[in-house]
C-alpha cells in the first residue's frame, strides 16, 4: 500500500508536517486578529452609542403657569383636556404597574 502512494506524494514527511503546522498557525493567527478587530469595533460602537445627543434649543412655547406642557394634538378635531388627563393617567398607571422609574411627559396624542 505504501508503494502505491509513493509516486503521488513525493514530499518528505518532515516538510509536510512543517507546512501543515505553518498553515494551522497562520489560520489561527488570522482568526485571532479578526476577533481582536471586531472586539475593538464593538467597544467603539458602544462608546459612540452611549453618547447623549446635543440638546437642541427649543423655542419657548406658551405653557401654563404650573409649567406643564400642553400636548400637540394631531388629527381632525381637538381632544378635551379631560381626555388628555385620562390618557396621561392611564400611561402613568401602566408604567407604575411595571415599576418603571422613568419620568415622562405627554407631548403628542395621535388618533389611530
Amino acid at each position: 500500500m505504501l508503494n502505491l502512494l509513493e509516486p503521488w506524494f513525493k514530499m518528505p514527511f518532515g516538510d509536510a508536517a512543517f507546512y501543515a503546522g505553518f498553515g494551522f498557525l497562520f489560520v489561527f493567527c488570522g482568526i485571532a486578529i479578526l476577533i481582536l478587530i471586531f472586539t475593538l469595533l464593538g467597544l467603539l460602537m458602544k462608546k459612540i452609542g452611549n453618547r447623549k445627543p446635543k440638546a437642541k434649543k427649543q423655542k419657548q412655547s406658551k405653557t401654563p403657569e404650573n409649567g406643564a406642557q400642553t400636548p400637540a394634538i394631531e388629527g381632525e378635531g381637538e381632544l378635551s383636556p379631560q381626555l388628555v388627563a385620562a390618557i396621561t393617567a392611564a400611561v402613568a398607571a401602566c408604567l407604575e404597574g411595571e415599576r418603571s422609574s422613568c419620568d415622562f411627559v405627554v407631548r403628542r396624542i395621535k388618533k389611530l
Side-chain angles (χ1 to χ4, degrees):
M1 176 86 178
L2 186 61
N3 293 337
L4 294 175
L5 293 178
E6 193 172 322
W8 179 76
F9 190 72
K10 296 182 180 179
M11 184 180 295
F13 181 74
D15 290 345
F18 171 75
Y19 288 130
F22 181 75
F24 291 143
L25 184 65
F26 186 78
V27 170
F28 179 77
C29 289
I31 291 172
I33 289 171
L34 285 175
I35 290 171
L36 180 67
I37 288 171
F38 285 120
T39 302
L40 292 175
L41 282 174
L43 292 175
L44 180 68
M45 291 298 155
K46 281 184 183 178
K47 190 172 236 182
I48 290 173
N50 288 338
R51 285 188 189 169
K52 293 184 179 179
K54 294 181 181 179
K56 295 180 181 178
K57 292 183 180 179
Q58 295 180 351
K59 295 180 181 178
Q60 294 291 337
S61 62
K62 296 179 182 178
T63 58
E65 295 160 359
N66 61 1
Q69 293 181 349
T70 57
I73 302 168
E74 295 181 359
E76 297 174 359
E78 289 190 22
L79 299 174
S80 67
Q82 292 85 9
L83 183 60
V84 172
I87 291 171
T88 305
V91 172
C94 286
L95 289 177
E96 186 177 315
E98 295 175 358
R99 296 182 181 171
S100 175
S101 63
C102 71
D103 296 331
F104 71 96
V105 176
V106 176
R107 298 182 192 271
R108 184 182 322 155
I109 297 174
K110 183 177 179 181
K111 289 184 180 181
L112 298 178

